[in-house]
Amino acid sequence: MGLNDTPSGNRYTIGLFGPRNVGKSSLVNKLLGQDLVLTSDVAGTTTDPVSKSMELLPIGPVLFVDTAGLDDEGELGLKRVDKSYEALRKCDLALFVLDASRQGGKFSEMAEQFLRESRKRNMPTIVVVNKCEIAEGPISYRECFDIPTDIPIVCTDALSGSGIEDLKQAIIKCAKQDDAPIGLTDGIVNKGDVVLLVTPIDSAAPKGRLILPQQQVIRDILDRGAMALVVKETEVKAAITALDKAPDIVITDSQAFKSVANDIPPDMPLTSFSIIFARQKGDLAQQLQGARALDTLEAGDRILISEGCTHHRQCNDIGTVKIPKLVRKIQPDVEFAWTSGGEYPRDLSGYKLIIHCGACMLNRREMQYRLGEADTQGIPIANYGMVIAYCNGILERAIRPFGI
């Protein structure tokens, strides 16, 4: 991702689902206006979810996710189906694609099952009946596929391009954006404020640039008409001395929480990039309870550490080294398991606590799913920044700017 690109976690995500060989990939190419997704007459060409970005006005930046067929077979095929339903977790809108020439029977059952899943997530859904130009005669697709009357249907033919504009308009009409997340610094940064940002440059930092959470927070601060002063953790005292007025708030990388807290006055507002993202992507109060659950850990308890992205692990990696080391100061005899990227267990019952990253690479839909599953199964879930703050005895201070 370039510095000028909208992160995938901030794009409106549209997933295409349905049986094999109904033209999902061809529809993606027509919607994008480019042949970017591999297509073939051979059923099962798409094996893993494939994501492609574009601008779709007036929605703005969107992400199309093409998935494997929901009727895939065999041991490997069933795993592909699981991956397709896994992709549904992060979608804001679903397109369920059917073939006009393959009607009723198992396709109606598949549509019923899928629409049931999308309703559970309160997700707007459009049924796309593709290959309409090769269908014989006028057909009531709603009736032959048993599609409920409240689900819009659009007829297309991806080969000729027929109905693609109708599909775009249906997407625009159905897109729900009224539940857009709050801004990253809403309520904690105001116009004219001076914000001190602490960004350590260690071995895990990308060469020549800032990491994504830092980039996004800086942009959000500038959009508010506030001023950002960016320093390393070794320059915090010098920066405060150089300013004519005290910073209105200090936002730090969570890994520098302890040193920054020691270097600034105790009454100066302080929080972290990770906690800011935890509030934007999820429920801050739920994760606060999760952090406090660290005190309930007992010997033999298992903890799941989950990251929303995949990256090369450094020797002093935050998720596999630093956080386990901090937690073991509270309870030495705990066990850890790790997931990354799209991985997230359906059954969380084997864990006493989940510790999750800030989710800058996940969209709000996906993070809400993860928080919801933890809540439903009664497993406390906490955020990296909140756990680090708790282990350093400054959690209450770190969440004070948010008024909870």
Side-chain angles (χ1 to χ4, degrees), residues 56-82:
L56 181 60
L57 298 176
I59 299 174
V62 300
L63 186 73
F64 284 103
V65 181
D66 184 22
T67 64
L70 298 180
D71 60 342
D72 215 334
E73 300 169 332
E75 182 179 354
L76 185 57
L78 293 177
K79 290 182 178 180
R80 291 170 180 164
V81 172
D82 285 342

Side-chain angles (χ1 to χ4, degrees), residues 38-51:
L38 180 65
T39 62
S40 168
D41 290 334
V42 178
T45 300
T46 302
T47 56
D48 293 307
V50 177
S51 299

Side-chain angles (χ1 to χ4, degrees), residues 363-376:
N363 66 5
R364 182 173 168 82
R365 276 272 186 180
E366 172 70 12
M367 196 59 211
Q368 288 289 319
Y369 167 83
R370 297 184 180 204
L371 291 169
E373 286 298 299
D375 182 58
T376 299

Side-chain angles (χ1 to χ4, degrees), residues 204-267:
K207 188 173 180 60
R209 61 185 175 87
L210 299 174
I211 62 174
L212 182 61
Q214 296 164 359
Q215 295 175 32
Q216 291 184 267
V217 170
I218 291 172
R219 174 57 193 263
D220 193 81
I221 290 169
L222 296 177
D223 285 344
R224 294 181 189 282
M227 294 166 280
L229 174 59
V230 185
V231 300
K232 295 187 293 185
E233 74 277 18
T234 51
E235 278 80 49
V236 171
K237 288 183 177 180
I240 292 176
T241 301
L243 291 169
D244 291 334
K245 65 184 281 291
D248 294 282
I249 189 170
V250 178
I251 302 172
T252 180
D253 185 287
S254 300
Q255 299 179 70
F257 249 144
K258 186 175 182 179
S259 65
V260 173
N262 290 334
D263 286 346
I264 66 176
D267 60 343

